[in-house]
Amino acid sequence: MANTNEFVLSDHGEATAAVIQAVVNKSRYLQTLHEALEDQDDRLVYQLINSEKYAREVQQARHISADPGNESLVEDLHDQLSAFLSQKLIIFLRNRYPFFYFEEIGEGQYQFYFGNWWGRRLFGTLDVLNVSFDFDEVEYQKLARTFALETQQKRLNSDQIEQISLENDKLQELIDSQEERDNQKAELRSQIKQISQEKVMPWEANRKKKEKQALIDKLTELTEIDESSNNAFQQIRQNENRILELSKEDTLLSYEKQSIIAKFGSFENFEAQNNVLYRDYIANLIATRGRVSADE
């Protein structure tokens, strides 16, 4: 019969070895990360904090083995790691995207604007650890739509500006026709008064009543138009301000469009570059570190 105590001791020994090995692995991971930070080896830091992404996008490995257990050891250091990694990344991005202007809003946290002109737009935030842009969806779609409308020789707000302009034309017509309406109302009141003062035979009463009501209805209609006309000046001013805002937005979008074309040639190329930004940046880190080593 097997000795139960021997089994328990043997099992305990295996568990001890397993936990010691696990601690060793974590210690090695942290030591490797420590050395990468000391050596300013950003490429290795990126590989260590997200091995799955690195294997998929840089090594393009078919069978990806991630290391989430060890990577979770530094989750509470993401802000500090982001601050460390942002130094070289921002320099790279300023060269790749000269029209983006980055602003640090917290430790390792950045938002960026499109352009250095007046009225420039906040365009999104930068994910340093994943080397990716988190674009403001509304602003990004405006830019995408601007490129899509190019084939129609239209701007983003062309239709809306045209619609508001037509509304202003109608409002101006109301204002310009005020004197004509006043004359019509005076004539209608005169006719109503005349009918009211006329003596009619009983069999004509119903017809005269209808005539008078038709005149009153027409007078009421003109009075309602007058009320609309009274607000026309204010509405025209509001519409003109709105047209100015939309025109300014179209101008800014035109600047953004020209900037992208100057750097990337097309919006499609711009999007393609965004999709491979992580891979391209890691390649740049490898090439740059290689040049430094060669110089040394």
Side-chain angles (χ1 to χ4, degrees):
M1 182 174 180
N3 189 319
T4 304
N5 290 334
E6 288 181 1
F7 172 78
V8 172
L9 289 174
S10 175
D11 186 54
H12 184 267
E14 291 178 3
T16 300
V19 73
I20 290 175
Q21 186 59 50
V23 171
V24 168
N25 289 340
K26 292 182 182 299
S27 297
R28 286 175 180 169
Y29 172 83
L30 291 174
Q31 181 61 33
T32 303
L33 180 58
H34 177 206
E35 292 172 356
L37 292 168
E38 282 196 331
D39 293 343
Q40 302 285 309
D41 190 349
D42 289 34
R43 181 214 60 84
L44 182 54
V45 174
Y46 273 112
Q47 183 177 11
L48 289 169
I49 64 175
N50 196 337
S51 57
E52 181 181 359
K53 184 179 181 71
Y54 189 93
R56 182 178 65 252
E57 298 198 24
V58 178
Q59 298 171 326
Q60 297 184 340
R62 292 184 178 180
H63 304 289
I64 298 173
S65 57
D67 189 14
N70 285 334
E71 290 165 13
S72 66
L73 294 172
V74 293
E75 282 184 355
D76 61 338
L77 298 177
H78 278 186
D79 287 347
Q80 293 94 318
L81 287 169
S82 182
F84 171 85
L85 293 168
S86 66
Q87 298 175 48
K88 293 177 183 177
L89 176 60
I90 294 296
I91 294 173
F92 173 83
L93 292 176
R94 284 173 178 163
N95 180 65
R96 177 67 68 90
Y97 302 88
F99 40 78
F100 284 165
Y101 290 80
F102 298 89
E103 177 184 34
E104 188 170 12
I105 55 176
E107 186 178 25
Q109 309 300 312
Y110 288 85
Q111 62 185 17
F112 61 98
Y113 295 83
F114 200 124
N116 61 349
W117 42 76
W118 177 88
R120 65 183 182 173
R121 298 185 296 155
L122 180 62
F123 212 61
T125 57
L126 173 65
D127 185 341
V128 175
L129 299 185
N130 285 297
V131 192
S132 64
F133 296 122
D134 292 327
F135 292 108
D136 182 297
E137 189 62 25
V138 173
E139 301 299 339
Y140 190 86
Q141 288 304 318
K142 286 180 181 178
L143 181 59
R145 182 67 177 156
T146 297
F147 275 92
L149 288 169
E150 185 178 19
T151 56
Q152 302 176 37
Q153 296 183 335
K154 279 186 173 183
R155 292 187 169 193
L156 179 68
N157 298 311
S158 295
D159 290 343
Q160 193 173 353
I161 289 174
E162 182 179 1
Q163 182 179 354
I164 296 174
S165 297
L166 289 174
E167 181 183 346
N168 271 3
D169 290 341
K170 293 179 180 179
L171 290 170
Q172 189 61 51
E173 287 177 5
L174 284 179
I175 295 172
D176 294 341
S177 60
Q178 183 65 59
E179 183 177 354
E180 180 182 349
R181 286 197 306 278
D182 288 342
N183 293 335
Q184 288 179 336
K185 287 185 293 182
E187 177 63 25
L188 288 168
R189 290 190 184 101
S190 175
Q191 293 178 23
I192 292 170
K193 182 179 180 181
Q194 181 179 350
I195 291 176
S196 298
Q197 293 175 345
E198 285 181 352
K199 294 181 179 180
V200 298
M201 302 304 290
W203 57 83
E204 294 182 322
N206 191 49
R207 178 175 62 81
K208 287 295 182 178
K209 183 179 179 181
K210 289 182 178 179
E211 287 181 6
K212 182 179 178 180
Q213 187 59 51
L215 293 171
I216 293 173
D217 290 344
K218 181 61 177 177
L219 182 60
T220 301
E221 180 184 346
L222 291 174
T223 303
E224 291 174 351
I225 293 175
D226 281 346
E227 291 178 1
S228 298
S229 178
N230 291 335
N231 299 323
F233 283 110
Q234 181 179 357
Q235 187 61 49
I236 286 175
R237 285 195 295 271
Q238 291 177 355
N239 286 347
E240 287 174 344
N241 289 334
R242 181 56 179 157
I243 288 173
L244 182 60
E245 292 174 1
L246 294 171
S247 297
K248 286 180 179 178
E249 183 175 55
D250 279 341
T251 299
L252 293 177
L253 287 166
S254 176
Y255 290 159
E256 294 173 6
K257 176 182 161 188
Q258 291 170 15
S259 298
I260 287 179
I261 291 175
K263 181 63 179 180
F264 297 102
S266 69
F267 190 69
E268 289 75 17
N269 290 342
F270 168 68
E271 291 190 301
Q273 287 294 314
N274 298 339
N275 292 334
V276 296
L277 183 57
Y278 179 90
R279 186 194 68 192
D280 284 358
Y281 180 56
I282 298 298
N284 175 265
L285 289 175
I286 294 171
T288 302
R289 192 167 183 82
R291 286 196 297 271
V292 171
S293 300
D295 292 340
E296 292 175 350

